[in-house]
Amino acid sequence: MARTVVGLEIHEAGIRAVELSRGRRPALVAAGEVALPPGVAKDSEVLDVDAVAMAITQLWSQAGIKAKEAVVGIANRRVLVREHSTPALRPDLMRAALPFDVQDLLPVPPEQAVLDFYPISESGGQVHGLLVAAVSESVEGLIAALNRARIRTAAVDFVPFGLARVAKVVAPPGQTVAVVAIGEHTTNLVVAQDGVPRFARIIPLDLGASAERAEQQFEDVPEQLPQARRAFGFAPADAVAPAVSDLVGRIDATLNFHARRRGASPADTIFLTGAGLDTPGLLPLATSTLDAPVFAIDVHNLVPPDRGAPITGRLAASLLPTLGVILGEEHL
């Protein structure tokens, strides 16, 4: 049997994991999610190591995950991501110099941060790319929870970098695309070309309560509303919660900001995914608002199931960002 690799994400409401076989034809071996008690975690941050470790053990058992190590996806409002240029050096020297090069950009001292630099292009003796900085305490909490559950942390990966690798699979070569993973509390956006992230942003916005309010409004719509419109989420305008309109507006503004940057190519296609994709009214509003064709994708657009029935519904979209972190080898 081919070696497998596991991707894992910890969110405020729960933990998701996906196990992927390696080899010429990667496939989904196992996947699942478990809920977390209130207050034990935030997006990519562990507040109660014991409670999260217990949930990880439960997830491994319920989903039938066999591997004893995992790549952990991280993305939250405490992760800094920005464009950065640095002198062209050997990769090892560049990494050694990075803490001193970016110390004035960080919200914490360099020794309290986990840093990564994704080089994109080089000109005039400078390397241009994306700087990512995560607070060490957050990363250490994730690793501690996995250790307590007897799962080794193989690597920590920035979720938008995983989404860029997703883009390489679902987009034609040479095309500039945006992949937007809509979460319950945090939305990750990346613009990529041929798997290389050109631009990335984290958009903090809580869709949870808004989704519940919109669903209640949607249920109040007269029964004469065609069932097909219900099935595909085409809610009337007054059923779209303010946070949904706000999020779509922020996505639109972020993509427009990217397109106006010097030398940037606007997104030819926009792919939406993530746990919040089924929020009432979101997909049709995005389709009518954003300036490029919009498509919804999930894990089955990338890899087939290895055995048994395919993952369906909300979980299939929720797991796509988790799958992204194990599609490549570029980790923090």
Side-chain angles (χ1 to χ4, degrees):
M1 180 178 178
R3 182 175 65 90
T4 64
V5 60
V6 176
L8 179 142
E9 284 189 275
I10 297 175
H11 300 270
E12 183 172 328
I15 304 175
R16 304 183 186 107
V18 56
E19 187 172 18
L20 184 69
S21 67
R22 291 297 199 186
R24 296 182 63 183
R25 295 184 178 179
L28 285 171
V29 175
E33 65 178 344
V34 296
L36 284 174
V40 305
K42 290 184 179 179
D43 285 349
S44 305
E45 292 188 87
V46 173
L47 305 179
D48 185 328
V49 170
D50 289 334
V52 172
M54 186 179 300
I56 293 171
T57 301
Q58 179 186 356
L59 175 56
W60 252 241
S61 176
Q62 289 184 359
I65 298 172
K66 303 301 183 184
K68 295 300 182 183
E69 66 176 30
V71 177
V72 183
I74 182 170
N76 58 51
R77 63 197 70 191
R78 297 180 68 193
V79 176
L80 170 73
V81 54
R82 62 175 297 170
E83 292 73 37
H84 180 64
S85 297
T86 187
L89 300 169
R90 285 200 333 249
D92 58 331
L93 296 177
M94 187 183 301
R95 181 169 291 275
L98 189 60
F100 306 98
D101 190 25
V102 304
Q103 58 184 337
D104 293 337
L105 306 176
L106 302 178
V108 296
E111 62 271 16
Q112 297 178 19
V114 178
L115 303 175
D116 193 25
F117 179 69
Y118 194 112
I120 296 175
S121 63
E122 182 176 343
S123 63
Q126 294 280 306
V127 177
H128 312 284
L130 293 177
L131 169 69
V132 180
V135 178
S136 299
E137 182 182 12
S138 299
V139 176
E140 291 164 358
L142 293 168
I143 295 173
L146 267 76
N147 285 344
R148 192 73 55 90
R150 298 185 178 181
I151 304 297
R152 190 180 78 85
T153 303
V156 176
D157 194 22
F158 185 46
V159 171
F161 287 172
L163 295 178
R165 297 191 291 272
V166 168
K168 185 176 183 179
V169 177
V170 298
Q175 189 176 91
T176 300
V177 301
V179 182
V180 185
I182 300 165
E184 299 97 329
H185 308 285
T186 303
T187 289
N188 293 282
L189 180 153
V190 70
V191 178
Q193 186 179 52
D194 295 329
V196 177
R198 303 290 180 176
F199 176 82
R201 285 293 184 269
I202 299 172
I203 304 173
L205 196 149
D206 193 334
L207 282 177
S210 298
E212 293 176 5
R213 288 194 298 270
E215 183 66 28
Q216 181 59 51
Q217 289 177 309
F218 195 46
E219 290 302 320
D220 292 339
V221 174
E223 290 300 320
Q224 291 85 350
L225 185 68
Q227 294 302 311
R229 289 175 64 82
R230 286 181 178 270
F232 287 96
F234 288 94
D238 62 358
V240 177
V244 174
S245 298
D246 187 10
L247 178 59
V248 173
R250 292 195 198 186
I251 294 170
D252 187 40
T254 302
L255 291 174
N256 287 333
F257 172 78
H258 162 72
R260 292 192 300 268
R261 296 163 63 240
R262 179 178 298 179
S265 299
D268 300 307
T269 307
I270 300 167
F271 296 100
L272 298 186
T273 191
L277 183 61
D278 64 350
T279 303
L282 190 149
L283 185 56
L285 183 61
T287 301
S288 64
T289 301
L290 303 179
D291 293 332
V294 175
F295 299 93
I297 57 173
D298 62 31
V299 292
H300 299 299
N301 293 99
L302 278 79
V303 290
D306 183 53
R307 58 178 182 270
I311 301 166
T312 58
R314 183 174 182 271
L315 182 59
S318 301
L319 285 170
L320 189 140
T322 316
L323 177 61
V325 303
I326 52 175
L327 287 180
E329 302 300 328
E330 301 86 352
H331 305 303
L332 294 177

